[in-house]
Amino acid sequence: MSSSLVTRTALTAATRAAPRAAFAVPLSRRGFASVAPVTGTSRSHRIVVVGGGAAGLSISHQLLRTGKFSPEEIAVIDPAQYHHYQPGWTLVGGGLKDPLSLRRDEASLIDPKLKFYNQAVSQLSPETDSVTLANGDKIGYEHLVVVPGIEITYDKIKGLPEALADPSAPVSTIYGAHTVSKVFPTIEKLKRGQAIFTQPAGVIKCAGAPQKAMWLALDHWKRAGLYNPSNPSSGAIQIAFATALPAMFGVPKYSARLEELRKERGVEGLFAHDLVEVNGNKAIFAKGEEKVTREFDLLHVVPKMGPYAFVKNSAVADAAGFVDVNQATTQSNKFKNVWSAGDASSLPTSKTAAAITAEAPVLVGNLLRSLEGKEPALEYDGYTSCPLVTEYGKVMLAEFKYAGVPKETFGGLPIVGGALDQGTPRRAFYHLKKDFFPWVYFNAMVKGTWGGPKGWKF
C-alpha cells in the first residue's frame, strides 16, 4: 500500500526532525523547473512569509491574488523539498491511502511571482525587520508572517526514536512522513495481545488524530474476527486508549459522544496517562507523580510537539514559545508588522488545516488594512474542524470555535427523521475526509482559493 520502510539509520535521523518544514534540520534539495531557489546576496521584500505549509501557501497566495503586489514583493521561506497533506496520514495509517499520493514537490506549489527561499531560518529579528537564513543571508521586510508550523520532537519520549526505527518493533506513529508507512503493517501483523494508542500532554497537531488511528485499527481487527466489542476479553486483541487528557476530546459535545463509543466498543480508557518512555514491550506513563508501566504487543504513539527554536527564542514569542498574537486579528501583540496563524501561533484553538481556512482570510485582510495605514477590523472566532474517523466508512465531523462551542456547517439541516447532528458519525462526512478534502487542499487551498465552510474564495 505504501513505500517500503527506510533503513534504521535513516529513520532514526528522520524522526528527530519535523515531518514537513524541517526548519531545525534542512533537508537535501534539488533544482526545480518551476521556481528557482534563491541564494547569495541579501534581499528585501514588502512581505516575508516564514513557512510554506498549509498556512504559508494559503496566505501568500491569497495576498498575491489580490493583485496589489508586483512579482517578488512577497517572499516565502521554507527548507522542505516536499509538501505533505498531513491530515491524510490518518488514512495512510488505516490502509486507505498511499503516502506518496499525498506528497508534492514544495517548489511546484509556489507561484513563480513569489520569491522562494528554499532555506531554513536561523533567527527572527523583528527589532530590525529582518530574518536570517541558515546560510547567513539576511532578508528584510515591511511585514512578516510567521507560519512555520510546529516541530515534532520524537526524542522527548525516551526510547521512541529507536523503537520507530526498528522494523521489528510494533511501535509506530501517523505523525511523520518517514514513520507513517509503518502504521498499517503493524496493525495487520497483530493477531493477538494488547494494543495501546497514546495521546501526549501539551499542544499537538489535530487533537483528534490520536484516536482516529485507534478507531480504524479497531474496525480492522473486528472485521478480521480478532476483536469483540461486546466482550473484549473474549477476543484475541484488547485495546486501550492512553491519553494525558481527562477526557476523550476537548470539546464537551463531541467528547461525550466519543466516550459513548469507547464504552460501547470496549476500549479501556487510561486517562491522565502521559507516555514518557518506550522500553522494549513496555510503555511507561506519568500519571501525576507516579509512573505506570503497561506491556504492549502494539503501540501507536503520538510524539510530543512544540515551537521551533528560532520562534521560541525570538522577541515575537510568548512565554510558551508560540507567536504572541491577538486572538481575533492575528496581529502580533508586540510588533504591529508581524502576523501569525496556524500551528506556530498562540491562537487558542485546535491546530488543524481547517482552522487555517478561517484564519488566513482574517490575517490577509488585516495585513492589507495595515499596509493602507488602517487598524485591523476583521476578526477570527476560533473556528476549526476535526473530521473524526470512527470506523471505515464513517466520520464524526466536529466543528467548533473558541471555548469549544460547536459551529457546525451542516448541523440542523433537515433529514429524514429530524435534523442532522454532526455528533453522529456519517458516511457522507467520511467521503469529505477521504476524497474531497485531499483534492480541495492541493487544487484550491494552497493556491489561496478555498475558504473552508465558506467555499471557494475567487
Side-chain angles (χ1 to χ4, degrees):
M1 68 155 216
S2 59
S3 58
S4 60
L5 295 176
V6 295
T7 63
R8 178 183 299 203
T9 300
L11 183 52
T12 300
T15 53
R16 289 195 173 100
R20 183 203 57 78
F23 282 89
V25 183
L27 301 177
S28 59
R29 302 183 299 276
R30 57 180 166 84
F32 300 103
S34 57
V35 183
V38 176
T39 59
T41 58
S42 298
R43 299 283 302 274
S44 290
H45 305 273
R46 293 188 70 191
I47 298 174
V48 168
V49 179
V50 175
L57 295 190
S58 296
I59 290 165
S60 58
H61 285 118
Q62 285 184 31
L63 286 166
L64 186 64
R65 293 180 72 87
T66 64
K68 298 179 181 293
F69 300 93
S70 300
E72 300 189 3
E73 285 193 324
I74 302 172
V76 176
I77 305 174
D78 195 299
Q81 178 179 353
Y82 297 117
H83 183 113
H84 301 272
Y85 177 62
Q86 295 181 40
W89 286 344
T90 304
L91 303 174
V92 176
L96 295 166
K97 292 279 187 181
D98 185 322
L100 295 182
S101 71
L102 305 173
R103 189 182 82 177
R104 303 288 187 274
D105 282 343
E106 175 71 26
S108 72
L109 300 177
I110 298 175
D111 192 290
K113 295 185 183 68
L114 300 170
K115 181 63 71 178
F116 179 37
Y117 294 89
N118 199 192
Q119 290 276 337
V121 170
S122 64
Q123 185 175 345
L124 302 177
S125 302
E127 304 90 345
T128 59
D129 295 338
S130 65
V131 173
T132 303
L133 304 183
N135 66 0
D137 285 353
K138 287 193 175 182
I139 309 299
Y141 60 80
E142 291 181 28
H143 282 260
L144 176 67
V145 180
V146 186
V147 284
I150 54 176
E151 184 176 15
I152 296 182
T153 52
Y154 296 89
D155 56 3
K156 294 290 186 181
I157 298 174
K158 186 178 179 181
L160 179 58
E162 294 78 10
L164 290 173
D166 184 353
S168 66
V171 180
S172 64
T173 181
I174 60 170
Y175 272 85
H178 296 89
T179 62
V180 67
S181 295
K182 190 182 181 185
V183 177
F184 192 63
T186 64
I187 292 171
E188 285 188 306
K189 187 177 179 180
L190 186 68
K191 304 301 179 184
R192 179 173 297 277
Q194 177 72 60
I196 302 176
F197 295 79
T198 76
Q199 179 166 349
V203 172
I204 63 170
K205 305 179 186 188
C206 188
Q211 60 183 289
K212 296 178 193 180
M214 177 185 71
W215 296 128
L216 287 174
L218 183 154
D219 202 23
H220 171 83
W221 292 323
K222 183 179 73 172
R223 294 176 182 215
L226 299 171
Y227 186 75
N228 182 358
S230 60
N231 186 11
S233 62
S234 69
I237 293 174
Q238 289 76 47
I239 303 172
F241 183 55
T243 173
L245 300 176
M248 290 294 289
F249 196 63
V251 179
K253 172 181 177 176
Y254 306 115
S255 184
R257 302 294 175 83
L258 291 165
E259 177 68 4
E260 290 174 6
L261 285 181
R262 183 189 70 78
K263 291 178 177 178
E264 287 172 6
R265 297 175 181 181
V267 173
E268 181 183 7
L270 300 174
F271 298 104
H273 281 61
D274 186 22
L275 182 68
V276 294
E277 182 179 351
V278 179
N279 186 349
N281 71 331
K282 295 181 175 63
I284 302 169
F285 300 90
K287 184 183 181 185
E289 297 299 319
E290 65 175 312
K291 293 289 180 68
V292 176
T293 299
R294 294 286 297 257
E295 293 189 358
F296 64 83
D297 298 282
L298 178 146
L299 181 67
H300 180 271
V301 180
V302 176
K304 293 182 181 294
M305 307 175 200
Y308 283 101
F310 74 87
V311 175
K312 185 175 182 178
N313 297 331
S314 74
V316 304
D318 62 11
F322 295 95
V323 185
D324 186 4
V325 295
N326 182 289
Q327 71 176 44
T329 67
T330 75
Q331 184 180 43
S332 168
N333 289 320
K334 301 177 180 180
F335 303 91
K336 288 191 175 296
N337 65 337
V338 174
W339 310 79
S340 185
D343 296 355
S345 75
S346 64
L347 296 172
T349 192
S350 187
K351 297 182 182 298
T352 69
I356 291 164
T357 65
E359 295 164 4
V362 171
L363 188 154
V364 168
N366 285 333
L367 193 158
L368 292 174
R369 288 181 60 84
S370 185
L371 286 172
E372 297 170 354
K374 302 175 182 177
E375 290 297 314
L378 282 68
E379 294 191 350
Y380 169 60
D381 65 0
Y383 171 83
T384 189
S385 175
C386 185
L388 287 150
V389 185
T390 57
E391 61 189 279
Y392 289 105
K394 287 190 178 180
V395 160
M396 179 187 298
L397 186 57
E399 291 183 291
F400 49 97
K401 57 184 180 178
Y402 286 142
V405 177
K407 185 182 180 182
E408 298 179 344
T409 303
F410 307 103
L413 290 178
I415 58 173
V416 176
L420 190 147
D421 179 4
Q422 289 187 201
T424 300
R426 297 182 182 277
R427 178 168 292 277
F429 297 153
Y430 173 78
H431 288 296
L432 283 177
K433 165 70 177 176
K434 179 178 176 291
D435 304 314
F436 179 72
F437 290 154
W439 180 88
V440 81
Y441 180 84
F442 283 119
N443 288 279
M445 182 174 168
V446 296
K447 295 181 179 180
T449 61
W450 178 245
K454 294 183 178 179
W456 272 266
K457 290 178 58 60
F458 300 97

